[in-house]
Amino acid sequence: MSIDPAGRVVRSTARPHSETRRHTPIRTFLHTDDGVTIDSVYDPPSFVYDSSRPPSRDLVFVVAHGFTGDVDRPHVRRVVEALTRYGAAVTFSFRGHGASGGRSTVGDREVLDLAAAVAWAREFGHARVVTVGFSMGGSVVLRHAALYGPETGAHADTVVSVSAPARWYYRGTAPMRRLHWLVTRPAGRLVGRYGFRTRIHHREWDPVPLSPVEAVPRIAPTPLLIVHGDRDGYFPLDHPRMLAAAAGDHADLWIEPMGHAEHAVGDELLGRIGDWAVTAGG
């Protein structure tokens, strides 16, 4: 299952409003180019923040969660809470996750979900959109940035990829072998549906989508930050190093003392990511 990155993004079912867009959260369902409904939340910048680090009112983060996550998971909400000290945030559940429709394609057509969320974030009038992805979401933000340019209206101005793979079909660690069983076997997909609230598509990719390491060179000159844990149990350090090498001087690489994705990212690191996003490209 591959996508046509035409950049046509259907608008949301709820529109921002001058009195609410900066003060109260808004929740709605977006519609992707291929007709999937995506559960999405807009959170305005926090009004409780450290005065030495005021939020940037022109900045909005679009957060792309990892596989089996969703917009209401505590670890996703914790990320949002940290980032709204620096700007507004849009979170959403990828297809097949939570209350969103469709079935997960584990990083392929999820690019359409992110494009719909980015287009909705732009409707609030923020000058800059920062996409922040974790694990599967980290691979999606890289491919999205490579496929969607400014002419689409669904492009990112800055990209942060955390704990992302560099290449597809990696089975070099026990967690990734378990994940492949979950995705490729009927019994695994049942476990995904009832154990993890994740509905997984049974079809294999055809054609195979652009890999993250192939996407990275196409992102320039958009600012890019690659973050990875030195204790990541899913993807060892050759993955971020491959991504950074493919980016050349275009990306910043942070190797951090942590494990994998949202569960491992501490508040201090989220604060540094927020600081980086405020200054990058600014």
Side-chain angles (χ1 to χ4, degrees):
M1 299 170 214
S2 194
I3 70 164
D4 173 12
R8 300 183 303 276
V9 181
V10 180
R11 300 300 184 186
S12 65
T13 56
R15 297 188 67 84
H17 160 315
S18 60
E19 295 181 3
T20 61
R21 69 178 185 174
R22 300 288 181 166
H23 303 289
T24 58
I26 297 172
R27 189 161 192 161
T28 190
F29 283 90
L30 308 177
H31 296 269
T32 66
D33 270 355
D34 60 346
V36 176
T37 55
I38 301 298
D39 186 19
S40 305
V41 178
Y42 172 86
D43 284 280
S46 172
F47 288 101
V48 180
Y49 58 87
D50 181 344
S51 61
S52 68
R53 297 188 306 185
S56 173
R57 298 289 177 176
D58 67 347
L59 190 71
V60 58
F61 296 91
V62 180
V63 179
H65 63 74
F67 186 60
T68 75
D70 67 55
V71 72
D72 292 316
R73 298 277 191 183
H75 57 278
V76 176
R77 298 313 303 167
R78 183 176 61 84
V79 170
V80 171
E81 204 173 302
L83 294 180
T84 52
R85 294 176 178 269
Y86 297 88
V90 165
T91 45
F92 63 97
S93 296
F94 278 120
R95 62 185 60 210
H97 292 72
S100 291
R103 295 182 185 182
S104 175
T105 63
V106 199
D108 180 11
R109 298 186 73 85
E110 282 74 11
V111 173
L112 297 172
D113 309 344
L114 179 58
V118 169
W120 187 50
R122 290 197 176 279
E123 292 184 18
F124 290 88
H126 298 286
R128 291 177 55 216
V129 174
V130 180
T131 53
V132 184
F134 297 85
S135 192
M136 180 187 77
S139 71
V140 173
V141 299
L142 295 175
R143 290 182 54 241
H144 169 269
L147 296 172
Y148 285 81
E151 71 282 358
T152 67
H155 67 286
D157 300 295
T158 306
V159 181
V160 180
S161 179
V162 183
S163 302
R167 55 195 185 274
W168 302 137
Y169 303 112
Y170 178 72
R171 292 178 172 85
T173 57
M176 285 305 297
R177 289 190 288 274
R178 289 193 294 268
L179 188 144
H180 276 87
W181 175 84
L182 194 76
V183 170
T184 61
R185 302 295 181 86
R189 291 191 290 271
L190 279 175
V191 171
R193 185 181 187 96
Y194 296 106
F196 296 103
R197 295 188 300 172
T198 302
R199 304 173 307 281
I200 304 164
H201 211 294
H202 66 280
R203 293 197 187 111
E204 295 184 5
W205 290 338
D206 184 19
V208 175
L210 185 75
S211 72
V213 74
E214 293 170 323
V216 162
R218 307 186 188 191
I219 295 175
T222 301
L224 171 62
L225 173 62
I226 299 164
V227 181
H228 209 90
D230 62 2
R231 298 188 294 272
D232 192 307
Y234 287 78
F235 305 113
L237 290 177
D238 62 315
H239 286 261
R241 287 169 179 159
M242 283 179 66
L243 294 173
D249 295 335
H250 157 59
D252 291 336
L253 172 63
W254 295 357
I255 302 297
E256 298 291 328
M258 59 178 256
H260 184 70
E262 301 102 316
H263 292 283
V265 175
D267 291 343
E268 185 272 340
L269 176 54
L270 288 169
R272 284 195 281 124
I273 289 172
D275 285 331
W276 183 91
V278 168
T279 58

